[in-house]
Amino acid sequence: MTMEAQLVLKVDNAAARRLFLQKHALLEAPTGSSKGEDLLNLIHRIGFVQVDSINTVERAHHMILWSRRQSYRPKHLKKLLENDRSLFEHWTHDASIIPTEFFPYWHYRFQKSAESLQSRWKVWRGAEYQEKLNLILRHIEENGPAGTSDVGKDEKRSKGGWWEWNPSKTALEYLWRTGQISVSRRENFQKLYDLTERVIPADHLTTKPSHQETVDWACNSAIDRLGFATPSEIAAYWDKLDLADVKAWCEHAQKHQELIPIEIQAASDTKPKLCLARPQIEDELKSLDTPSQRIRILSPFDPALRDRKRAEFLFDFNYRIEIFVPEPKRQYGYYVFPVMEGDKLIGRVDMKRDKTSNALAVKRFWPETSIRMGKGRLQRLEAELERCTQFAGCEDLQFLSAWQG
């Protein structure tokens, strides 16, 4: 039976936005505890926290957590990652911090990475490639955690892309992607790797789910964090499954009434979208809280914005990173931050930490065309920028001339 033939519920855009934001811990005010088990539970709730090297104000993973709990500080995450080992770092759609409880389901990714990379990288690096892997594994086993500066010291260095990596850096990446080594800690944001059995606690390390168990977990955990989704969106959430496997899982779930088809209204005039959701979605929608009207600044890599097409459909907010766009051709700026008020994305702000003055310098704010920047809204935005100044460890907040456009 087709999704259209089974259609039982139409969800308006405002309700859909609020459910999605509630799943991503963005509906409530950004208050409360942000350390220890509370922080771990928050990350478990949103699924993962993307890691990114750009640091104009603070790194992405810290911004993501701060926008949800403004008492958060980077040292809170470091303890969970490096001491408690209740979090680990690996790939979802990109490098991310993930609850270690989920580690067993990464064995499937390790296997797929080994199959896809081994022959390709062996051809790329030559016949001695396997020996390079063995040498690095032996080095780490005997000397402890190592990074790119500790191996291949006699090799030519490059700051280019992966195609210009030296053999040892390539080998480290291969060993990490295939699960043989894991990120033990970071120093100055550089990864230090150790043998996986010395990083991941034994109870998570030895469990190896079957392929079908991995599919079931990935699909269930994705739909529960998205609230509603197409098969493609479910597959993209963890970015670990073949779409054919996800479609088969969705068909089975519908047949057994574990999922129902629903129609989601777009924020703009585009046509509605058919999605799948849990049968209890109607009860969830009725119990949603009124969104906090607190203005908050989001990371460009926030999990709620990871799927740019979904964000545009739900919020009518077109966002693209312009770091690789030549400056004269940028529409906004090098690295602008989305700004949320309640359940709406109201604009974007270009700001950065000025290292010389240790001030947070606000260069420009662009409200969305439908947003009127009255006195009250402007005051709430400035209050959030003050809070961001404190979070970034800056001593002052500076507004460049004509920052309001």
Side-chain angles (χ1 to χ4, degrees), residues 184-369:
S184 176
R185 65 181 188 276
R186 283 180 180 262
E187 292 183 357
N188 298 320
F189 203 65
Q190 298 302 308
K191 290 181 287 196
L192 292 180
Y193 302 92
D194 203 349
L195 300 180
T196 294
E197 58 263 33
R198 298 202 293 229
V199 175
I200 304 298
D203 54 339
H204 299 304
L205 183 67
T206 56
T207 303
K208 294 187 177 181
S210 67
H211 172 64
Q212 189 57 50
E213 288 171 333
T214 299
V215 171
D216 290 343
W217 174 84
C219 292
N220 276 308
S221 59
I223 193 69
D224 287 340
R225 287 169 176 81
L226 292 169
F228 50 86
T230 65
S232 295
E233 290 170 341
I234 293 172
Y237 183 83
W238 295 112
D239 195 26
K240 72 199 284 96
L241 302 177
D242 294 330
L243 183 57
D245 286 335
V246 176
K247 287 182 175 179
W249 181 87
C250 290
E251 290 175 6
H252 180 273
Q254 282 186 267
K255 183 178 179 180
H256 290 80
Q257 298 182 324
E258 295 167 1
L259 293 178
I260 61 171
I262 64 172
E263 184 179 271
I264 302 292
Q265 182 183 1
S268 62
D269 294 331
T270 58
K271 66 180 181 179
K273 181 165 62 174
L274 288 173
C275 293
L276 295 168
R278 296 295 190 193
Q280 62 269 27
I281 185 172
E282 208 163 0
D283 292 333
E284 285 190 275
L285 291 171
K286 290 176 182 177
S287 63
L288 290 174
D289 294 331
T290 301
S292 165
Q293 291 306 302
R294 176 88 163 257
I295 285 182
R296 66 183 102 199
I297 296 168
L298 304 182
S299 164
F301 298 106
D302 194 286
L305 300 174
R306 182 203 64 78
D307 187 333
R308 306 295 192 207
K309 290 182 179 179
R310 184 180 172 97
E312 189 166 357
F313 176 85
L314 284 176
F315 299 97
D316 195 20
F317 187 77
N318 183 294
Y319 184 87
R320 299 294 183 270
I321 288 284
E322 296 185 286
I323 56 177
F324 300 115
V325 177
E327 186 170 1
K329 295 184 178 181
R330 290 176 189 149
Q331 183 179 3
Y332 297 107
Y334 172 78
Y335 191 86
V336 300
F337 296 83
V339 178
M340 175 172 281
E341 179 184 46
D343 61 355
K344 298 179 180 179
L345 289 162
I346 65 167
R348 59 204 85 200
V349 61
D350 186 359
M351 61 183 183
K352 66 179 296 185
R353 184 195 305 115
D354 186 308
K355 295 180 180 179
T356 303
S357 63
N358 194 26
L360 182 64
V362 180
K363 183 177 181 180
R364 181 77 182 269
F365 171 71
W366 295 267
E368 292 293 277
T369 54

Side-chain angles (χ1 to χ4, degrees), residues 64-108:
I64 290 167
L65 296 170
W66 172 77
S67 66
R68 289 159 171 81
R69 299 288 185 273
Q70 291 196 342
S71 62
Y72 168 81
R73 294 298 180 266
K75 63 182 180 181
H76 302 161
L77 185 65
K78 183 179 178 71
K79 182 178 184 298
L80 295 178
L81 267 169
E82 299 180 7
N83 299 107
D84 300 351
R85 298 298 188 196
S86 53
L87 299 169
F88 76 104
E89 187 176 330
H90 217 276
W91 282 84
T92 54
H93 67 293
D94 210 320
S96 298
I97 293 166
I98 309 157
T100 309
E101 176 187 338
F102 301 165
F103 181 84
Y105 299 102
W106 259 251
H107 287 295
Y108 176 67

Side-chain angles (χ1 to χ4, degrees), residues 144-164:
T148 55
S149 62
D150 302 305
V151 294
K153 295 181 178 180
D154 58 338
E155 297 167 356
K156 183 180 178 181
R157 301 278 161 170
S158 172
K159 294 183 179 180
W162 59 265
W163 58 91
E164 293 181 346

